Amino acid sequence: MAIVKDNNLLLQAVTGSLGDEITIYERNGQIIVAKKRGPSKKKPTKKQLEARYKMKIAAAYAVAIIKDPEIKAYYKSLAGPGQNAYNMAVKDAYNSPEIQRIRFEDETVVVTAKNEFRVAEVAIRIVDAAGSILERGKAVLGRNGVDWHYKATGLPPGGKLIIVAVDLPGNETVREVRLE
């Protein structure tokens, strides 16, 4: 790969491939000359097929979501040089939120959930030892922007807490905690 440094008149108006040898394209205002790549002759692995499917879903989300002017403006505000709202929406849809920490402050469950973009909601279910749902609800985002608070009516010993963090594209991360 070569980056053309000077304002070359010949390459300034040229993009595309020249035969089967080289490709000329522009990225971030720079002209790049690279060896032309062809399709791979190897059969894709299972992981590659999964990644392709995940990218296909993320791209479909991005196409649909940037039709909403508010959400498009949100993603555009996060874009860096050479990026746009579509790129940010694909990146958001490709990654799930992360539940980093769960702690108890008396009867309040505090969940620290992060995402590179935004965690849309955190839902809590409290299940007893027999598997019956005793309580469910949505946590409230704290002032620091990462801690979600849920005031439980009771935490039964031997039961479990099921926490679901959801981001803007709808990716879910589920964590279960046994109650002692």
Side-chain angles (χ1 to χ4, degrees):
M1 176 178 86
I3 297 174
V4 179
K5 298 238 180 206
D6 296 330
N7 231 352
N8 189 307
L9 289 174
L10 175 64
L11 296 177
Q12 197 171 28
V14 177
T15 58
S17 296
L18 297 173
D20 289 334
E21 297 296 318
I22 63 171
T23 299
I24 302 168
Y25 59 97
E26 185 177 337
R27 173 155 302 147
N28 295 332
Q30 292 184 315
I31 299 170
I32 298 173
V33 180
K35 182 178 189 241
K36 183 175 180 186
R37 291 188 52 189
S40 176
K41 293 173 181 32
K42 296 180 186 176
K43 186 177 176 185
T45 65
K46 185 178 178 182
K47 278 188 170 183
Q48 287 173 324
L49 291 172
E50 288 171 2
R52 289 177 188 175
Y53 178 74
K54 194 173 178 182
M55 184 58 78
K56 189 176 185 178
I57 297 299
Y61 165 78
V63 167
I65 203 70
I66 63 173
K67 291 178 183 173
D68 181 331
E70 278 185 35
I71 295 176
K72 183 176 183 177
Y74 167 71
Y75 282 126
K76 187 170 176 57
S77 73
L78 299 171
Q83 297 175 322
N84 56 34
Y86 173 82
N87 300 139
M88 296 294 97
V90 168
K91 188 176 182 180
D92 191 15
Y94 199 80
N95 298 308
S96 298
E98 179 185 350
I99 297 173
Q100 293 184 325
R101 195 169 91 179
I102 301 159
R103 65 184 192 280
F104 301 95
E105 295 175 359
D106 297 321
E107 294 294 312
T108 302
V109 179
V110 181
V111 178
T112 303
K114 285 189 175 181
N115 190 9
E116 187 173 344
F117 295 91
R118 169 167 81 192
V119 176
E121 75 176 38
V122 173
I124 308 281
R125 286 191 307 244
I126 299 172
V127 181
D128 65 10
S132 300
I133 297 175
L134 299 176
E135 186 177 341
R136 67 170 24 158
K138 293 186 180 179
V140 177
L141 183 60
R143 297 177 96 195
N144 65 2
V146 293
D147 286 339
W148 294 77
H149 301 265
Y150 179 78
K151 181 75 172 156
T153 56
L155 298 170
K160 65 182 174 182
L161 189 65
I162 302 170
I163 300 146
V164 181
V166 182
D167 65 4
L168 197 57
N171 297 320
E172 292 183 353
T173 299
V174 179
R175 174 92 53 90
E176 290 187 16
V177 177
R178 290 257 173 236
L179 299 171
E180 302 288 323

